[in-house]
Amino acid sequence: VLRGEWGFDGIVVSDWFGLHSTVEAIRAGVDLEMPGPTLHRGEQLVAAVEDGRVDRSDVRRAALNMIRFLKRVGAFADGAPGAETVRDAPGDIAVVRAAAASGMVLLRNERVGGVPVLPLDLAAITRVAVIGPNAAVGQAMGGGSAHVTPPAISHPLDSMRLRLAAHGVEVVHAPGCNINMRLRELEPRLCTPIRADYFEEPDALDDRSAVPVRSSGGAPRVMWVKDPLRRADSNPCFGARLSTTFTPDVSGTWMLGIESVAPTRLLLDGEVLLDNEALPAGGSFFGTGKPEMTAAAGLDAGRPYALEVEVRHRPTGRGLGGVSIGAQPPMPDNLVAEAVVTATAADVAVIVVGTNDDWECEGWDRTSLALPGEQDELIWRVAAASKRTIVVINAGSPVAMPWLDQVDAVLMAWFPGQEMGEAITDVLLGDAEPQGRLPVSFPARLEDTPAFEHYPGRNGVANYGEGRLIGYRWYDTVGRQPLFPFGFGLGYADVVVSGARRATTGSIEVDLRNESPRDGVQVVQVYAAALDRPQPGADDPAQQLVGFAKARVAAGATASVTVELDPRTTHTWSLEEHRWMRGDGRFELRVGTSSRHIAARLPFD
């Protein structure tokens, strides 16, 4: 399918440390093992060819794919990659901000006094409480390979304070609870730019007069997959010193921490606060790093502190190096009670809850759909005390919502990137329309998910027993009611489907009507449904998405949108015959705004 039907002529690479074979992988078409140094190729691949387990043509094919790719990206022209750069242009930021806002999904928007809670009517508000563990410092991105270092991150609390102050609205804040399993990364806004000095030998760090071989910009979290000094040896020794001036914004007992692959020390004003040399590996950096070590330090707000982290890297089995610096400000004893008091004195409570990369990261799985920590209790109690309660969910995957009927509005913000604060504020104030629709079904409980009875498997083996019935296909086929269905999402405008008809064999024309005084957006979805279901037990889905289109409709106006259909609308892949085959029996096309909100049905043959 990849090379033939799709005509793909690029390279196939493994996930980092995702390759676990020599013979099977090269035969299956994996061109490159990542990262280096290789664990399953090199001399092992040579031996497999020499003893006849791998054909020489398989190696030639992979090598040719690599050469073609290197030529395509200009590697033979200059021989080396260019310097890493960061673009921070205003035009780019505007695009990032608009994309973040338009991807957010409005899940609930009740009326209070006959008026929807969102967007906020600032003329009727004097004080807004911004509450929650992700309010002051939100989660802009996922963990692991999803983690990058943006030029800056806009957080919800900062953005709300600045934007609402211009309208004479006061913003008050309470964290509500702490959900971190480990310390949050050192906040760049509290530091001078971090400097990284590199030395050829780890012990050079003991000599304060030693001159670094190379210096560059650093970050609170650094991972080295190759030698930062760019020497020929793929996994050499080196020393690294990260240094910055840290100025706390709150007085009290701070917690400082380090996680690292190699022995590492953290120094504060020249004094060693942490030294993890004696800790064993396990728990960070894909299992190769040492667990987090923390220490308390009494710090004064506004006073600059010299903070240094020294890493003594020596070769590891996987060639990885890395360090993460954490910092947590002082925490009050009863955060939930404090949040309730804060919300009671406000006109509106905006609770920013969710997860972070302690909970959502490659390398481990969440064990529950529940929001971590005391967040559910926080929402219950704030909703009971607040005049109006808006919940913003800052998470990368579905969460349970036992409090759903007790709050007035729910906005799924996901992990929206560096402009998250501004984008969330844009949506809450109505400067941007929430245009997102759920790309996954949100289950009411973990037991309702299609993988529940198969995960985590037995004896180290997890069978994907759900077959093709994953996501909405499972819920729609077995009749299980999700909390929110696939494709669902509300808007500030009420744009409805008023009609649908076949335009051509491969498209559907859908009529839309905006029944509100505000310009709006609708995402029309078309599902193909088999009316003559196969025998019980088959994993043929009852219906599946075959086309969708987004349309903008002016206030009070009508519009039409054409939805192009998948050319294999009624086909499924046959595992026995290795080809696409048309399903037997009758089909119909269902036109709607989610997998469960169907407005029109059309026969299809």
Side-chain angles (χ1 to χ4, degrees):
V1 172
L2 180 69
R3 298 290 187 187
E5 183 178 335
W6 296 353
F8 179 74
D9 65 349
I11 59 171
V12 176
V13 305
S14 75
D15 193 7
W16 269 233
F17 309 112
L19 198 68
H20 300 285
S21 67
T22 299
V23 175
E24 293 83 356
I26 193 76
R27 284 179 175 175
V30 178
D31 300 312
L32 177 65
E33 176 185 6
M34 290 297 290
T38 182
L39 298 177
H40 298 283
R41 298 209 165 170
E43 292 303 320
Q44 295 183 66
L45 184 55
V46 172
V49 171
E50 290 178 345
D51 63 21
R53 290 176 294 142
V54 171
D55 193 276
R56 293 174 184 270
S57 64
D58 291 325
V59 179
R60 291 193 186 99
R61 181 201 66 236
L64 180 60
N65 290 337
M66 287 301 307
I67 291 170
R68 185 187 298 114
F69 171 76
L70 292 171
K71 183 178 180 181
R72 181 175 295 162
V73 300
F76 295 132
D78 54 24
E84 181 176 331
T85 60
V86 176
R87 274 180 50 149
D88 198 21
D92 293 347
I93 293 174
V95 170
V96 170
R97 176 172 167 177
S102 63
M104 295 178 187
V105 185
L106 185 62
L107 297 175
R108 183 177 175 87
N109 192 18
E110 296 299 291
R111 293 176 177 269
V112 176
V115 179
V117 168
L118 291 178
L120 290 172
D121 180 7
L122 297 183
I125 298 171
T126 59
R127 179 181 292 173
V128 173
V130 180
I131 293 167
N134 287 29
V137 181
Q139 186 70 19
M141 68 198 90
S145 298
H147 189 103
V148 296
T149 303
I153 296 178
S154 162
H155 293 291
L157 177 61
D158 292 338
S159 177
M160 292 284 284
R161 274 183 171 155
L162 182 63
R163 300 272 290 281
L164 269 63
H167 296 271
V169 178
E170 180 188 8
V171 170
V172 291
H173 168 62
C177 63
N178 177 22
I179 65 170
N180 300 325
M181 287 193 289
R182 53 190 181 130
L183 303 185
R184 282 285 182 104
E185 284 180 20
L186 186 66
E187 269 288 294
R189 64 186 178 88
L190 302 179
C191 301
T192 58
I194 298 175
R195 173 188 173 98
D197 293 321
Y198 295 101
F199 304 84
E200 288 189 341
E201 294 296 331
D203 293 340
L205 294 168
D206 295 327
D207 182 1
R208 301 297 299 189
S209 64
V211 178
V213 178
R214 175 175 173 257
S215 297
S216 67
R221 180 179 174 87
V222 181
M223 187 167 72
W224 298 285
V225 295
K226 59 183 179 181
D227 179 21
L229 297 179
R230 302 168 185 170
R231 292 166 288 183
D233 189 344
S234 60
N235 191 13
C237 298
F238 65 86
R241 178 183 290 120
L242 305 179
S243 55
T244 184
T245 299
F246 172 54
T247 305
D249 57 349
V250 179
S251 296
T253 302
W254 282 69
M255 297 298 297
L256 300 177
I258 49 174
E259 287 180 309
S260 63
V261 174
T264 299
R265 301 194 309 173
L266 184 149
L267 294 82
L268 195 66
D269 279 350
E271 299 293 327
V272 177
L273 185 66
L274 292 166
D275 186 339
N276 70 3
E277 183 174 10
L279 291 182
S284 66
F285 293 96
F286 306 99
T288 65
K290 299 170 180 287
E292 183 181 49
M293 173 179 274
T294 64
L299 305 179
D300 297 324
R303 178 192 160 186
Y305 294 85
L307 190 152
E308 294 182 333
V309 173
E310 298 178 340
V311 182
R312 300 165 188 266
H313 178 85
R314 290 181 170 83
T316 62
R318 288 184 170 181
L320 276 181
V323 63
S324 182
I325 311 168
Q328 177 179 288
M331 290 285 183
D333 292 334
N334 196 332
L335 295 175
V336 174
E338 177 191 57
V340 171
V341 172
T342 302
T344 303
D347 301 301
V348 177
V350 177
I351 315 177
V352 187
V353 296
T355 61
N356 55 38
D357 55 12
D358 286 350
W359 305 95
E360 293 192 69
C361 183
E362 58 181 338
W364 58 83
D365 296 312
R366 292 167 64 197
T367 59
S368 168
L369 290 178
L371 287 166
E374 298 179 288
Q375 292 183 97
D376 284 335
E377 180 187 355
L378 173 67
I379 296 170
W380 282 112
R381 293 182 57 182
V382 168
S386 177
K387 300 179 183 70
R388 281 172 284 178
T389 305
I390 300 162
V391 176
V392 177
I393 302 174
N394 176 204
S397 54
V399 299
M401 305 181 200
W403 33 260
L404 180 62
D405 293 337
Q406 308 303 313
V407 302
D408 301 298
V410 178
L411 179 69
M412 186 71 192
W414 310 105
F415 292 153
Q418 70 179 62
E419 289 298 303
M420 66 172 297
E422 293 296 335
I424 289 172
T425 305
D426 285 342
V427 174
L428 295 181
L429 299 187
D431 295 337
E433 179 83 3
Q435 301 177 32
R437 300 299 185 262
L438 290 182
V440 294
S441 303
F442 272 41
R445 53 182 196 146
L446 185 63
E447 291 80 359
D448 291 339
T449 57
F452 178 75
E453 62 182 282
H454 308 291
Y455 180 85
R458 295 181 179 179
N459 300 322
V461 176
N463 290 312
Y464 289 73
E466 60 269 42
R468 286 176 291 175
L469 296 183
I470 59 174
Y472 72 90
R473 297 170 180 84
W474 159 266
Y475 294 97
D476 295 347
T477 302
V478 304
R480 194 70 52 86
Q481 181 65 36
L483 183 64
F484 292 105
F486 173 82
F488 178 79
L490 303 173
Y492 292 150
D494 189 14
V495 180
V496 300
V497 174
S498 58
R501 56 198 167 275
R502 291 278 294 276
T504 65
T505 301
S507 66
I508 301 293
E509 193 170 81
V510 182
D511 297 325
L512 299 170
R513 183 175 65 251
N514 188 341
E515 299 180 342
S516 61
R518 177 187 172 106
D519 295 349
V521 169
Q522 187 56 272
V523 179
V524 178
Q525 302 154 44
V526 179
Y527 297 82
L531 300 181
D532 301 316
R533 295 275 297 133
Q535 71 275 11
D539 69 344
D540 291 277
Q543 64 176 15
Q544 53 189 352
L545 183 71
V546 294
F548 63 93
K550 178 189 285 189
R552 289 175 168 80
V553 186
T558 60
S560 294
V561 61
T562 299
V563 180
E564 300 294 336
L565 302 182
D566 188 320
R568 296 195 178 107
T569 294
T570 61
H571 290 63
T572 57
W573 180 260
S574 171
L575 294 175
E576 293 75 21
E577 300 193 29
H578 295 279
R579 65 186 180 92
W580 294 100
M581 298 183 66
R582 189 188 188 284
D584 296 328
R586 298 168 300 135
F587 288 83
E588 73 174 7
L589 298 178
R590 298 173 179 174
V591 183
T593 54
S594 84
S595 65
R596 293 296 179 95
H597 295 84
I598 304 300
R601 298 171 186 262
L602 302 173
F604 187 82
D605 48 33

